[in-house]
Amino acid sequence: MKVERRDFLFLRAGQPAVLSCEPLFMRFLDSQMDGSTSLLFENLVSDLRQVTAVRLTDTTWLARAELKTELDRVLDAFRAAGGTVTIG
């Protein structure tokens, strides 16, 4: 499975990248069905290497513990590398 950035990470010149949790949640469910969850998050990590700031939207979709745990791991590494994360 090839996870495309356009599925859930939106880039706008001069602004933080926008990570919408709704399409991420949908892709997460699909990845659980086809066994590609690790690939989903590896691709997200790769995509985040191209930006310095990300804004999370639609965070109510993070109610599922497995998704929140994986995303927190990715975002913690992003922050540790100097990235900033905002919610809203």
Side-chain angles (χ1 to χ4, degrees), residues 4 6 8 12-13 18 23 29 35 38 42 44 47-48 50 53-54 57 59-61 66-67 69 77 79-80 85-86:
E4 300 290 335
R6 68 178 178 266
F8 49 78
R12 295 184 181 122
V18 176
L29 292 180
S38 63
E42 287 171 21
L44 180 57
D47 288 344
L48 288 174
Q50 301 174 37
V54 67
T57 62
T59 56
T60 56
W61 290 90
E66 305 100 315
L67 173 59
T69 298
R79 286 184 192 104
V85 178
T86 56

Side-chain angles (χ1 to χ4, degrees), residues 19-26 56-65 67-68 71 87-88:
L19 177 58
S20 176
C21 296
E22 180 180 2
L24 178 61
F25 176 78
M26 298 303 171
L56 294 180
T57 62
D58 303 317
T59 56
T60 56
W61 290 90
L62 298 178
R64 188 156 183 175
L67 173 59
K68 184 167 181 351
L71 184 59
I87 298 174

